[in-house]
Amino acid sequence: MYREFYGLTEKPFSKTPDPRYLFLSRGHREALARLQYAVEERELALLTGDIGCGKTTISRALMDAVGNDGCFCFIVNPRLSAVEFLRTVARSLGIAEPAAAKDELLRQLTEAVYRLEGEKRCPVIIIDEAQLIPDQEVFDEIRLLTNFQLDDRNLMSVILMGQPELRQILSEPAHEALRQRIAMHYHLQPLSLEETLEYVDFRVEVAGGPQGLFSPDAIRRIYELSGGVPRKINILATNALLVGFGKDSAWIDASLVEELRDEASLY
């Protein structure tokens, strides 16, 4: 369809976190650098941002940056009981059959963490959508994971990622002990207009398309409708390409994007 029409070899605004399409704005670069530091120091970190701002993309970039020095556990749905949470972590650390009893499960986790330390690898537990954690007991287990230590260093890094309300949740008195252990905080902002211009051009070029496929006015309108949120930019840009293809338009201008104004409120 529109790919051949616009000289694209693939979809430039796919929702999948393909590392080839990783665009690091100033905010994304800083967030990634801070998370890398948290892993190097084996600290507890907090990354927040609105829906679609790129938190998950940054976590994938972090995994690529750390490479084999890390043993990553991604928890993408944290609606778990405390034992379910620990069993999920255990599987990611190489425990084939996590115990059902908590005391035995903790023994298995301890052995796995020290085994990884002997291999010079850092366990990195990344909990996405952490604002959905259902109860205090799970937060307590997250805090207790940071107790894996030697005399001179921690043995594990834990990264909490979530929407802005996660900060409000953690500000509650019940989470004081966990909050005090968070060594790195960062809130990811949407892209600026200039960054949106660079972002759209970058993704088109990676997909094999021509420079200037989207006019500056078109990208400005995309920015206004999306608020600079990458996921919304992707949806608007894809739909603009479909509209342009339907109209046999050689490039995407602001008038084509304007046709998506009513749809944009649904994203």
Side-chain angles (χ1 to χ4, degrees):
M1 287 176 60
Y2 71 80
R3 288 186 299 171
E4 292 78 10
F5 183 79
Y6 287 114
L8 300 162
T9 57
E10 53 195 54
K11 297 177 181 178
F13 301 103
S14 173
K15 296 179 182 178
T16 56
D18 188 331
R20 293 177 301 132
Y21 286 89
L22 177 62
F23 174 83
L24 292 178
S25 69
R26 182 196 60 79
H28 287 78
R29 283 195 301 272
E30 183 171 350
L32 179 57
R34 292 195 184 203
L35 292 185
Q36 283 185 260
Y37 177 80
V39 172
E40 289 169 2
E41 297 298 317
R42 305 190 177 194
E43 296 282 7
L44 175 60
L46 172 65
L47 176 65
T48 55
D50 289 325
I51 297 171
C53 275
K55 299 183 296 296
T56 302
T57 299
I58 288 175
S59 70
R60 297 301 191 272
L62 175 67
M63 182 171 65
D64 291 340
V66 173
N68 291 331
D69 290 339
C71 178
F72 280 80
C73 169
F74 285 94
I75 298 177
V76 296
N77 183 357
R79 292 184 183 274
L80 303 167
S81 69
V83 171
E84 288 171 340
F85 170 78
L86 291 174
R87 284 170 61 85
T88 300
V89 172
R91 290 190 188 94
S92 295
L93 299 187
I95 300 171
E97 296 183 8
K102 187 174 178 181
D103 58 345
E104 176 63 16
L105 179 57
L106 290 173
R107 184 192 65 78
Q108 291 176 325
L109 280 169
T110 300
E111 290 181 354
V113 169
Y114 281 95
R115 171 178 54 79
L116 289 167
E117 170 63 17
E119 298 171 0
K120 307 298 183 184
R121 300 180 68 201
C122 175
V124 184
I125 315 303
I126 298 181
I127 305 162
D128 203 356
E129 302 292 352
Q131 77 279 354
L132 299 178
I133 291 173
D135 56 49
Q136 176 67 38
E137 190 175 359
V138 177
F139 280 112
D140 286 341
E141 296 299 346
I142 292 170
R143 175 176 58 84
L144 292 172
L145 285 177
T146 66
N147 285 340
F148 286 108
Q149 296 173 321
L150 295 178
D151 290 341
D152 60 342
R153 63 186 181 279
N154 299 327
L155 297 180
M156 179 182 294
S157 179
V158 180
I159 298 171
L160 296 172
M161 301 196 310
Q163 296 173 30
E165 55 262 38
L166 177 59
R167 288 178 176 267
Q168 182 177 353
I169 292 170
L170 292 174
S171 70
E172 296 172 1
H175 300 305
E176 173 69 19
L178 174 62
R179 190 169 64 250
Q180 287 188 8
R181 297 196 183 196
I182 298 174
M184 193 286 296
H185 301 250
Y186 193 76
H187 183 73
L188 192 60
Q189 299 288 350
L191 303 182
S192 67
L193 173 57
E194 181 179 355
E195 289 169 339
T196 302
L197 288 160
E198 296 172 355
Y199 175 84
V200 171
D201 284 343
F202 169 77
R203 293 190 70 116
V204 168
E205 290 179 28
V206 172
Q211 291 185 351
L213 178 56
F214 286 75
S215 74
D217 284 346
I219 299 178
R220 179 182 295 275
R221 193 66 184 117
I222 287 174
Y223 170 75
E224 292 169 350
L225 293 172
S226 68
V229 174
R231 185 178 299 166
K232 293 182 179 181
I233 293 171
N234 290 348
I235 295 171
L236 284 163
T238 295
N239 287 335
L241 287 169
L242 290 169
V243 172
F245 171 69
K247 293 179 176 293
D248 288 328
S249 178
W251 70 329
I252 307 301
D253 61 19
S255 66
L256 295 176
V257 177
E258 187 63 27
E259 294 188 28
L260 304 170
R261 179 180 57 187
D262 293 338
E263 294 180 31
S265 63
L266 302 175
Y267 304 155

